[in-house]
Amino acid sequence: MKKTILLTALVLNGLTSFAQSNDEKNIKLFYKKALTEAKCYTWLEYLSNDIGARLSGSKGAELAVDYTKRQLESLGLDKVYLQEVMVPHWVRGQKETAYILDGKTKTNVPICALGGSVATPKTGITAEIIEVQGIKELAELGADKVKGKIVFYNRPMNPENIETFMSYGACVDQRYAGAKEAAKLGAVGTIVRSMNLRLDDFPHTGAQSYGDLPKEQYIPTAAISTNGAELLSKSLKVNPALKFYFKQSCETLPDALSYNVIGELTGSVTPENIMVVGGHLDSWDLADGSHDDGAGVVQSMEVIRILKNLNYKPKNTIRVVLFMNEENGGKGGAKYEEVSKQKKENHIFALESDSGGFSPRGFSIEADDVNLKKIQAYKDLFEPYLVHSFTIGHAGSDISHLTSQAIVKAGLKPDSQRYFDYHHAANDTFDAINKRELELGAATMTSLIYLLDQNGIEIKKAN
């Protein structure tokens, strides 16, 4: 035991050195700690199985705030506190029902209301249905062919992309803005194919927006499972005049008070410079959100736990932030930036985990060429851990609000092949999490935080 403690002390004693050999030793130690002593899996088990769904404004969200704050306090950090934020409070109501009505034949299909949708009338909606591949095709049809009908958006995610988030980004507009655009043409409702690469019976919810439409023009909108979408499309080809029925009772309540949960280790050299690591504490209401984004929450907590456990003294202030309301409003990220501006804080780096708890493959980076190359130069250090992708790309929704001068941002990139099997669906549950993959992600995040804390970022000098 004494030899182990001595080895740890000797390794950490060299943390101020920039030599790659020390970096290699320290990163190996981070992975060892994550794979042998991590708490992230246990934390996630409680968040998922004891608390459950955590949509903003819900009791689950309230319990998650309290739980994560207590866990951060137990780590002995320099500061742990809550940051007030008002968040949307949308509730799903009773389970949705839907069926294809072909003559006298009723065929049930799985649907779920999209976040922020209005309810149907209490008796539901029955109308003819018109299938389109997207908003552009809908606009080309015009009001004459759309008025009084239910619009069925059926553009699938493209299976050809290895990076599945590219496929998601290419068709999610029909979910987010589909109801708004259909309402402008007089549609009475919309049904949207779930954002899912595989065929199954799970409808996937997600945020949608009516934009600047007056409330009297709002129409109900729901997602249909991919199997349901395939069946509906085939049925329409046989009988274009068939009808569709759906019923949902969701509603939007007044905004609710909630919190971002924050803990930090104060910097020993430049404490005014802040490095953030975080994920979003809220999840959709269909399941416990273990991948989206319970995994990112506990991985971020694990980063600061590992550093604290090793008695690491960061040069810069390292702050873990568990953001509230990423899913249906982004209020937590916006509030964090608002307070940061008021306090004139200087963020130099932000790292977000919001792509699931699968095996880490690299980082998606928002930085100028100089800092991008600096991070890419660390690639050899990550190679032994099968982490290899360091590319320009979106870092994360919550940290997108941060606007400090010269800030560098990164998002953890796990393997994405299975992510959309679970994303926003009822099967995003704890049993879908692999303990080892979750821990590897936490170690990978810890390593990047450490490297940038030690070596800093490059700030362009004003001309």
Side-chain angles (χ1 to χ4, degrees), residues 31 37 48 62 64 78 277 322 330 384 402 431-432:
Y31 277 89
E37 302 175 8
S48 299
E62 180 184 338
D78 296 319
V277 57
L322 312 180
L402 291 171
D431 61 329

Side-chain angles (χ1 to χ4, degrees), residues 102-251:
D102 192 351
K104 294 183 179 180
T105 302
K106 295 180 180 179
T107 306
N108 293 322
V109 288
I111 68 161
C112 66
L114 293 176
S117 176
V118 294
T120 61
K122 290 184 179 181
T123 55
I125 290 176
T126 303
E128 289 187 7
I129 191 158
I130 185 166
E131 179 180 350
V132 296
Q133 291 297 299
I135 291 172
K136 182 180 179 181
E137 183 180 340
L138 176 74
E140 291 171 351
L141 289 175
D144 289 345
K145 294 183 179 180
V146 174
K147 188 174 182 180
K149 296 181 180 179
I150 296 170
V151 173
F152 169 38
Y153 290 100
N154 193 34
R155 184 165 82 256
M157 291 177 64
N158 185 352
E160 295 179 18
N161 294 317
I162 302 302
E163 175 49 73
T164 62
F165 281 89
M166 292 177 61
S167 302
Y168 177 73
C171 63
V172 73
D173 63 325
Q174 62 190 344
R175 188 196 75 198
Y176 185 75
K180 177 187 70 173
E181 298 304 323
K184 291 178 181 178
L185 299 177
V188 296
T190 60
I191 298 295
V192 185
R193 183 189 183 98
S194 288
M195 304 293 111
N196 182 7
L197 279 159
R198 72 178 181 182
L199 294 175
D200 63 26
D201 294 319
F202 293 102
H204 293 230
T205 192
Q208 70 85 36
S209 173
Y210 296 110
D212 56 1
L213 284 180
K215 288 186 177 181
E216 58 270 20
Q217 290 188 28
Y218 289 5
I219 59 174
T221 180
I224 186 171
S225 72
T226 47
N227 274 339
E230 292 289 296
L231 176 62
L232 179 54
S233 182
K234 290 177 182 176
S235 300
L236 281 167
K237 287 178 174 62
V238 175
N239 179 12
L242 62 75
K243 294 185 178 181
F244 191 85
Y245 167 88
F246 74 110
K247 178 183 177 182
Q248 56 193 43
S249 58
C250 43
E251 63 178 319

Side-chain angles (χ1 to χ4, degrees), residues 69-380:
K69 178 174 182 286
R70 285 188 283 110
Q71 295 309 305
L72 289 175
E73 287 172 337
S74 73
L75 301 180
L77 306 179
D78 296 319
K79 292 180 184 177
V80 177
Y81 55 99
L82 301 180
Q83 185 177 77
E84 291 187 357
V85 55
M86 296 301 294
V87 297
H89 188 190
W90 178 83
V91 294
R92 183 171 301 280
Q94 296 179 342
K95 184 175 175 57
E96 304 88 344
T97 57
Y99 53 77
I100 300 167
L101 184 59
D102 192 351
K104 294 183 179 180
T105 302
K106 295 180 180 179
T107 306
N108 293 322
V109 288
I111 68 161
C112 66
L114 293 176
S117 176
V118 294
T120 61
K122 290 184 179 181
T123 55
I125 290 176
T126 303
E128 289 187 7
I129 191 158
I130 185 166
E131 179 180 350
V132 296
Q133 291 297 299
I135 291 172
K136 182 180 179 181
E137 183 180 340
L138 176 74
E140 291 171 351
L141 289 175
D144 289 345
K145 294 183 179 180
V146 174
K147 188 174 182 180
K149 296 181 180 179
I150 296 170
V151 173
F152 169 38
Y153 290 100
N154 193 34
R155 184 165 82 256
M157 291 177 64
N158 185 352
E160 295 179 18
N161 294 317
I162 302 302
E163 175 49 73
T164 62
F165 281 89
M166 292 177 61
S167 302
Y168 177 73
C171 63
V172 73
D173 63 325
Q174 62 190 344
R175 188 196 75 198
Y176 185 75
K180 177 187 70 173
E181 298 304 323
K184 291 178 181 178
L185 299 177
V188 296
T190 60
I191 298 295
V192 185
R193 183 189 183 98
S194 288
M195 304 293 111
N196 182 7
L197 279 159
R198 72 178 181 182
L199 294 175
D200 63 26
D201 294 319
F202 293 102
H204 293 230
T205 192
Q208 70 85 36
S209 173
Y210 296 110
D212 56 1
L213 284 180
K215 288 186 177 181
E216 58 270 20
Q217 290 188 28
Y218 289 5
I219 59 174
T221 180
I224 186 171
S225 72
T226 47
N227 274 339
E230 292 289 296
L231 176 62
L232 179 54
S233 182
K234 290 177 182 176
S235 300
L236 281 167
K237 287 178 174 62
V238 175
N239 179 12
L242 62 75
K243 294 185 178 181
F244 191 85
Y245 167 88
F246 74 110
K247 178 183 177 182
Q248 56 193 43
S249 58
C250 43
E251 63 178 319
T252 299
L253 303 175
D255 286 358
L257 175 64
S258 191
Y259 304 89
N260 293 327
V261 183
I262 303 172
E264 66 181 50
L265 293 173
T266 304
S268 60
V269 179
T270 51
E272 68 278 8
N273 291 339
I274 299 169
M275 305 178 74
V276 162
V277 57
H280 65 84
L281 195 50
D282 60 309
S283 73
W284 281 108
D285 58 318
L286 295 178
D288 50 68
S290 290
H291 277 295
D292 187 20
D293 183 32
V297 165
V298 298
Q299 285 174 329
S300 300
M301 295 168 65
E302 189 64 46
V303 168
I304 210 162
R305 189 204 70 83
I306 289 173
L307 295 176
K308 176 63 178 177
N309 182 261
L310 290 171
N311 197 32
Y312 177 61
K313 305 297 182 186
K315 291 182 176 182
N316 308 287
T317 294
I318 297 178
R319 184 180 287 173
V320 57
V321 184
L322 312 180
F323 298 94
M324 182 56 69
N325 183 233
E326 185 273 347
E327 293 292 8
N328 61 335
K331 299 295 185 182
K335 172 56 73 171
Y336 181 82
E337 168 63 0
E338 177 188 327
V339 173
S340 175
K341 278 187 173 181
Q342 291 171 355
K343 294 182 176 181
K344 298 181 179 179
E345 292 179 334
N346 181 44
H347 289 78
I348 61 170
F349 179 64
L351 171 60
E352 184 166 348
S353 173
D354 186 18
S355 299
F358 303 101
S359 291
R361 292 291 178 253
F363 297 94
S364 181
I365 302 161
E366 295 179 31
D368 58 23
D369 288 343
V370 173
N371 283 297
L372 175 64
K373 289 178 181 177
K374 183 168 188 173
I375 295 174
Q376 288 174 332
Y378 300 141
K379 187 174 180 180
D380 288 347

